[in-house]
Amino acid sequence: MGKFAKWLGAGAGFTLGGPIGAIIGFVVGSFIDGVSVDDLKEEEQEYKGHQNEESQYVQSGDFEISLLILASIVIKSDGKIDQRELDYVRQYFVNLYGKTRANHAFKLFNGIVKREISTRQVCLQIRQYMSHSSRLQLLHFLFGIANADGSIDVSEEEAIKKIAYYLYINERDYSSIKAMFISESESSYKILEIPKTASEAEIKKAYRKMVKKYHPDKLIGLGEEHVKIGKQKFQKVQKAYDEIKKQKGF
């Protein structure tokens, strides 16, 4: 079956079923020679039969596939596929998983971008299985893609906002993550989800709340590689807090 089938079959769980599973089945059958969905499910069962404390790898694989599918929606939202955005996705996966695993992921991605995808259906499936912290991490990644060419197109932001809506990410969380990529006069306040008129006590309370929400340890179930990436959000919260303290003089 080859290394690709082993990578995908062992790394996936809920994403081999439902609407996402149908997309994967189409891509595998149409664009990847010598591999079938049955091969992937066989690899999945074999992996589960041998796994113990490494079960989080399956969750990591589901997150990986979800990233690829949502990324394809955002990249195609403006009617064209920008090479800079494709490069961002590839480099992100290389940094996260290493070159070999990233090559497998991009092989799948090249087929996914050719497929028409129902944003609502895939998001409902993701929402059913993923924690709120994991869904916030997905949103952070999507803003990174949209901003890969130096600006976020209106159609790209609309696509991300629709994804956030279907993933049950509220407006405050959405604006907080968006502010991490779009520099404005009140970006630091938006990241902490507070108004510019907030008192010192309110600012400190908001900071503690955001540290708890974006703490990288909440992503441990996705694997150590995602914990490292999750630190980026954590660091942006710290930077926003430091900037506000400087402005307020406390």
Side-chain angles (χ1 to χ4, degrees):
M1 285 178 276
K3 293 180 180 179
F4 179 85
K6 289 184 180 295
W7 161 75
L8 184 54
F14 78 82
T15 47
L16 285 186
I20 295 177
I23 295 168
I24 300 303
F26 169 82
V27 172
V28 168
S30 302
F31 299 102
I32 301 172
D33 295 334
V35 183
S36 70
V37 175
D38 288 340
D39 291 334
L40 304 181
K41 290 185 176 179
E42 182 180 331
E43 288 292 342
E44 178 194 10
Q45 292 305 314
E46 182 179 342
Y47 178 81
K48 286 182 176 179
H50 290 90
Q51 72 183 133
N52 40 52
E53 295 180 356
E54 297 181 30
S55 59
Q56 60 183 255
Y57 178 76
V58 175
Q59 298 174 20
S60 178
D62 288 328
F63 188 86
E64 194 172 350
I65 291 170
S66 299
L67 276 177
L68 294 173
I69 289 176
L70 295 180
S72 74
I73 293 172
V74 173
I75 285 176
K76 294 190 296 183
S77 63
D78 57 0
K80 61 182 184 299
I81 298 178
D82 192 299
Q83 186 60 46
R84 287 168 294 185
E85 293 170 336
L86 294 177
D87 291 342
Y88 180 93
V89 175
R90 179 184 283 279
Q91 192 57 50
Y92 180 93
F93 274 82
V94 169
N95 293 339
L96 197 60
Y97 302 117
K99 191 171 182 179
T100 299
R101 190 170 164 186
N103 286 341
H104 290 318
F106 216 72
K107 187 175 184 179
L108 184 66
F109 183 73
N110 285 334
I112 291 174
V113 294
K114 297 178 176 68
R115 174 75 168 173
E116 288 299 317
I117 295 172
S118 167
T119 302
R120 179 179 180 275
Q121 287 184 352
V122 298
C123 286
L124 293 184
Q125 185 177 359
I126 291 168
R127 191 180 79 201
Q128 182 181 354
Y129 291 94
M130 281 195 187
S131 68
H132 183 250
S133 296
S134 298
R135 284 178 271 138
L136 290 177
Q137 187 64 22
L138 284 172
L139 198 69
H140 188 268
F141 172 77
L142 296 178
F143 268 113
I145 291 175
N147 198 44
D149 58 358
S151 64
I152 298 176
D153 188 84
V154 173
S155 58
E156 291 174 330
E157 185 176 349
E158 287 178 353
I160 296 174
K161 196 162 190 175
K162 182 185 292 186
I163 288 169
Y165 173 79
Y166 287 134
L167 291 180
Y168 277 7
I169 294 173
N170 63 40
E171 181 64 34
R172 288 192 305 172
D173 285 342
Y174 174 86
S175 297
S176 174
I177 293 178
K178 176 185 173 183
M180 295 178 183
F181 293 90
I182 299 178
S183 180
E184 298 175 338
S185 60
E186 298 185 13
S187 291
S188 295
Y189 294 90
K190 290 179 180 179
I191 289 174
L192 294 188
E193 300 181 0
I194 53 174
K196 200 169 184 178
T197 55
S199 66
E200 181 176 338
E202 290 171 332
I203 292 168
K204 290 181 176 179
K205 182 180 179 180
Y207 169 69
R208 291 192 296 269
K209 178 182 177 182
M210 298 307 291
V211 165
K212 184 177 180 181
K213 181 187 293 187
Y214 289 138
H215 199 284
D217 285 353
K218 287 183 173 289
L219 301 173
I220 285 177
L222 296 177
E224 192 61 34
E225 61 269 26
H226 291 287
V227 174
K228 292 178 181 179
I229 295 296
K231 289 179 181 178
Q232 294 177 0
K233 296 197 307 299
F234 191 75
Q235 290 166 350
K236 287 178 181 178
V237 168
Q238 183 63 57
K239 182 180 178 182
Y241 180 58
D242 290 341
E243 287 178 353
I244 292 173
K245 284 198 300 180
K246 185 177 180 180
Q247 290 175 18
K248 297 283 187 177
F250 65 86

